[in-house]
Amino acid sequence: MCLISLRNIAVPPTSSPLHLLTTVFGHPAFRGAQAEIVTHVTSGGDALVLMPTGGGKSLCYQLPALLRDGTALVVSPLIALMQDQVAALKQVGVRAAFLNSTLDGREANAVERALRSGELDLLYVAPERLMMPRMLELLEESRIALFAIDEAHCVSQWGHDFRPEYLQLSVLHERFPDIPRIALTATADPQTRDEIVLRLALDKARVFVSSFDRPNIRYTIVDKNEARAQLLRFIQEDHAGDAGIVYCLSRKKVDETAAWLKTQGVRALPYHAGMDTAARAKHQARFQQEDGIVVVATIAFGMGIDKPDVRFVAHLDLPKSIEGYYQETGRAGRDGTPADAWMAYGLGDVVQQQRMIDMSEGGEVFKRVLRTKLDALLGLCESAGCRRVRLLDYFGEPSVACGNCDNCLDPPQTWDATDAARKALSCIYRTGQRFGAVHLIDVLRGKTTDRTTQWGHNKLTVFGIGADLDEAMWRNVFRQLVALGYARPDHEAYGALQLTDASRPVLKGEVSVEMRRVVVVKGGKEKTAKARRGASSSSAAQPNTALLDKLKDWRYVEAQAQSVPAFVIFHDSTLAGIAATNPKTLDALAGISGIGAKKLDRYGKAILELLHST
Ligand code: ADP
Ligand code: ZN
């Protein structure tokens, strides 16, 4: 095949981006704006690329790296990420290397020599390393094709991943004004974008904004009642044996949840900033390299994850904002195949997040910003309409109902909750605005407890006026009242519910209140994604699972032998493609996305033998 000759000499000038995409990477076509970006950067233009996670940013600089003369320098903030990228590039026959603190002096020298003599297509470096005077001199002596600045939002001081070293990257523009630069990020908001342009002096760059939709991710937000049991059911029924991430708010809850999942047979590992560095690194590495590990983590587990086959992200606690939620759920399904974003949400979450804001150190303006962000997220949780439409709308992107979220697949019923809301609010009022939902529900349902008797609440007119609704229903009513702003917890009084300005018109019967009805199926369980999937006709053709398992076993052995993560050998989507089409010849195998010339050469025969050995 032509690949060997292709890599031994420089890429011939006749090579088109599409030709390289198919022969080297094995993909039949470009996605979205990739082709345009590649052409622009290859011809020497600067670019700012805003694309969601999994959108295919890497190819936007990897192809120009092959098409332009010299070595592409890729600035990347995380060492683990670099190693996997380089391993994956080597698999497809691209001459890639990295320079970071894991190399000893001799290894680093060898890489530097290769750079100087033009033997590298791509070189990954950490920003602090790039800024060393010695490194900058080395670059001046070498032929540089382009600079790619990955995770460019790290220049943003207000963002979540600020890296001070990134601020110095504007030096690149000053010292190498003629070398094109491409900055890439999955952070969408305009403020961060402006900061990137400003700090990296990219004002002449062309900006490529992709749709931020992640169509393969299915969004589901369930009503929290027994969060752990709900989570376990979700994992067992929809994601047995899959890799996933479970986010919790506190370190303690991370530890407890991971330990509990383990007792239930899930291969779960904890990850949070309170663990020692070695244990944390070990868990992250296992997640990255092994199949089917579930990491239970605080949001400290984030940017270092470049695993394409994370099949689900579950939230046991509410994030702070839609930005946070979108970023965290975005770690699922980077490979483009179906993935789930699942969250259990209840009144406690609302109260907890509101308390964190009220008790935080910031000034009033700051708190107001946080409250607005939280309210937008609560709006998403309580919405009876398409979740995706709401998410994208938040990022300023219009869309239509997606057909791939809980509300689209199984439209929630709404009910006229005006009467219930009035009863609940009167109960708050009559009991002196000093009690939380648990007690209020007891009063409404007319339950005699020590507290109802002690406070004389069994004598109130509201005692027992809500006996027609069960406890779960009332919990829902209170949660929605708080989420919708009709009541609010007083954090200085242990979350006692109080009335708000918005309560009065409800109490007086001037406005009506509509609420989502909890989806309850037999046995008091909410429907799982699989149950719904079964009901929907759009589910994709099921691949041959026996073949797929065989392929995964083969991949595991191969990955172990080469000490690389399994996905570096082949992505799940490629294995699924093989299992579904069961190719008989090398040519047929080559037609599957993810199998380029080098991988065909290296693994093609073994795969055909595996497929047709029995
Ligand atoms: P990002 O950096 O934007 O998160 P990646 O560059 O890691 O995304 O790409 C995500 C996944 O999509 C990878 O598995 C990659 O192989 C795949 N991919 C990218 N471009 C294409 C394409 N044109 N056709 C098929 N798969 C693609
Ligand atoms: Zn939808």
Side-chain angles (χ1 to χ4, degrees):
M1 188 64 228
C2 66
L3 185 88
I4 301 305
S5 55
L6 186 82
R7 297 304 332 140
N8 284 346
I9 50 163
V11 172
T14 49
S15 275
S16 71
L18 184 62
H19 179 247
L20 284 182
L21 179 75
T22 49
T23 54
V24 178
F25 295 94
H27 300 315
F30 282 109
R31 266 195 204 155
Q34 277 177 337
E36 227 182 324
I37 299 167
V38 169
T39 308
H40 178 73
V41 175
T42 303
S43 63
D46 289 345
L48 171 58
V49 173
L50 304 151
M51 219 185 245
T53 310
K57 285 185 283 300
S58 324
L59 284 176
C60 297
Y61 58 82
Q62 287 168 351
L63 283 171
L66 297 180
L67 287 159
R68 284 178 66 86
D69 208 11
T71 306
L73 251 285
V74 185
V75 184
S76 173
L78 284 156
I79 290 175
L81 237 141
M82 279 181 207
Q83 289 170 338
D84 288 346
Q85 291 241 14
V86 167
L89 284 167
K90 284 184 170 163
Q91 286 282 326
V92 298
V94 172
R95 301 171 304 173
F98 57 78
L99 266 181
N100 62 37
S101 52
T102 63
L103 301 184
D104 62 30
R106 209 169 43 87
E107 292 167 321
N109 280 339
V111 172
E112 290 178 7
R113 255 198 320 277
L115 171 66
R116 219 182 258 119
S117 54
E119 288 160 22
L120 290 177
D121 298 311
L122 288 113
L123 177 61
Y124 286 75
V125 278
E128 53 276 17
R129 181 127 190 164
L130 184 60
M131 285 306 128
M132 289 163 142
R134 194 176 121 72
M135 186 73 204
L136 289 170
E137 277 162 31
L138 177 66
L139 295 186
E140 268 163 358
E141 294 160 13
S142 314
R143 198 168 181 87
I144 305 302
L146 60 103
F147 291 108
I149 301 159
D150 208 1
E151 313 286 358
H153 61 278
C154 291
V155 296
S156 167
Q157 303 195 48
W158 310 113
H160 36 271
D161 299 323
F162 177 53
R163 297 276 297 242
E165 313 85 59
Y166 262 68
L167 291 178
Q168 295 163 26
L169 290 176
S170 61
V171 171
L172 295 178
H173 178 50
E174 288 150 26
R175 282 194 59 166
F176 307 93
D178 299 328
I179 297 177
R181 291 171 304 147
I182 170 172
L184 311 104
T185 178
T187 303
D189 66 288
Q191 197 185 340
T192 310
R193 182 194 320 180
D194 294 347
E195 240 185 308
I196 295 173
V197 169
L198 181 76
R199 307 226 179 267
L200 298 179
L202 277 170
D203 38 327
K204 302 228 166 52
R206 214 174 127 188
V207 181
F208 295 88
V209 187
S210 303
S211 164
F212 269 73
D213 188 15
R214 303 286 311 280
N216 60 314
I217 298 184
R218 173 171 295 177
Y219 300 96
T220 303
I221 302 176
V222 305
D223 231 71
K224 193 187 268 186
N225 41 62
E226 284 171 59
R228 268 187 188 178
Q230 288 172 291
L231 172 71
L232 182 65
R233 199 158 54 232
F234 163 71
I235 294 178
Q236 285 175 338
E237 291 180 11
D238 291 338
H239 290 288
D242 284 346
I245 305 172
V246 177
Y247 281 113
C248 302
L249 212 52
S250 70
R251 297 171 183 184
K252 183 161 167 268
K253 189 158 167 188
V254 162
D255 286 332
E256 288 170 0
T257 308
W260 182 78
L261 282 176
K262 221 183 265 174
T263 64
Q264 303 298 311
V266 178
R267 294 173 66 210
L269 298 172
Y271 186 102
H272 57 69
M275 289 163 54
D276 71 70
T277 323
R280 229 166 46 194
K282 193 172 124 217
H283 289 182
Q284 173 154 352
R286 284 193 57 192
F287 177 69
Q288 189 86 356
Q289 311 220 339
E290 291 176 30
D291 268 340
I293 299 268
V294 173
V295 164
V296 184
T298 57
I299 54 171
F301 189 62
M303 214 173 55
I305 315 162
D306 189 26
K307 192 174 165 63
D309 55 357
V310 177
R311 293 271 66 87
F312 69 90
V313 169
H315 280 91
L316 275 190
D317 292 306
L318 192 68
K320 290 180 174 41
S321 63
I322 288 190
E323 287 96 330
Y325 173 75
Y326 207 62
Q327 206 190 32
E328 284 144 35
T329 54
R331 294 180 182 129
R334 289 175 74 134
D335 56 9
T337 58
D340 273 301
W342 180 94
M343 175 156 76
Y345 150 83
L347 174 62
D349 289 298
V350 187
V351 173
Q352 185 175 37
Q353 285 293 351
Q354 290 183 340
R355 182 173 56 229
M356 281 163 61
I357 295 173
D358 286 354
M359 301 296 191
S360 71
E361 298 287 309
E364 255 327 295
V365 180
F366 180 65
K367 287 185 183 175
R368 202 172 320 134
V369 173
L370 296 185
R371 275 189 205 111
T372 313
K373 286 182 185 257
L374 179 60
D375 284 346
L377 180 62
L378 296 179
L380 171 77
C381 295
E382 298 297 350
S383 166
C386 174
R387 309 271 191 205
R388 193 179 313 271
V389 165
R390 227 169 152 124
L391 283 167
L392 292 174
D393 178 62
Y394 184 81
F395 296 114
E397 195 178 321
S399 63
V400 294
C402 72
N404 191 29
C405 71
D406 53 354
N407 286 351
C408 279
L409 289 166
D410 201 357
Q413 295 170 359
T414 54
W415 60 296
D416 182 354
T418 312
D419 192 44
R422 288 176 71 181
K423 287 177 182 168
L425 295 177
S426 330
C427 187
I428 292 176
Y429 182 71
R430 297 277 167 212
T431 52
Q433 310 193 57
R434 287 163 49 215
F435 296 88
V438 174
H439 179 69
L440 294 168
I441 293 172
D442 285 345
V443 175
L444 283 164
R445 303 198 68 242
K447 196 163 149 191
T448 307
T449 66
D450 289 351
R451 287 176 94 200
T452 48
T453 324
Q454 179 191 345
W455 294 98
H457 291 166
N458 50 353
K459 308 241 166 52
L460 296 175
T461 51
V462 288
F463 190 73
I465 54 166
D468 53 328
L469 300 183
D470 67 14
E471 218 176 286
M473 197 75 176
W474 276 119
R475 263 205 310 272
N476 248 283
V477 169
F478 278 104
R479 188 198 73 224
Q480 296 192 53
L481 284 174
V482 174
L484 299 168
Y486 292 119
R488 86 179 125 86
D490 177 355
H491 303 300
E492 278 164 20
Y494 307 102
L497 292 178
Q498 300 187 326
L499 301 184
T500 68
D501 292 344
S503 316
R504 181 182 290 270
V506 178
L507 276 167
K508 286 167 75 181
E510 291 167 3
V511 294
S512 57
V513 181
E514 195 130 65
M515 288 188 181
R516 275 174 76 100
R517 197 183 281 284
V518 203
V519 186
V520 181
V521 293
K522 263 190 280 173
K525 298 170 179 176
E526 76 278 0
K527 287 183 197 172
T528 64
K530 195 187 259 168
R532 281 196 307 270
R533 221 165 266 162
S536 89
S537 56
S538 65
S539 54
Q542 290 298 311
N544 180 332
T545 43
L547 265 192
L548 191 57
D549 287 346
K550 226 159 120 180
L551 287 162
K552 281 192 176 172
D553 290 346
W554 167 84
R555 178 179 67 175
Y556 178 76
V557 173
E558 197 60 51
Q560 291 287 311
Q562 297 186 44
S563 313
V564 294
F567 63 79
V568 164
I569 307 287
F570 281 121
H571 281 180
D572 281 0
S573 52
T574 304
L575 293 190
I578 300 173
T581 53
N582 198 359
K584 304 270 185 307
T585 62
L586 284 173
D587 267 357
L589 195 59
I592 292 164
S593 187
I595 308 186
K598 181 89 181 211
K599 285 193 177 173
L600 187 70
D601 235 27
R602 193 159 175 184
Y603 307 120
K605 250 181 86 196
I607 290 176
L608 289 181
E609 272 167 22
L610 185 81
L611 292 179
H612 306 295
S613 59
T614 46

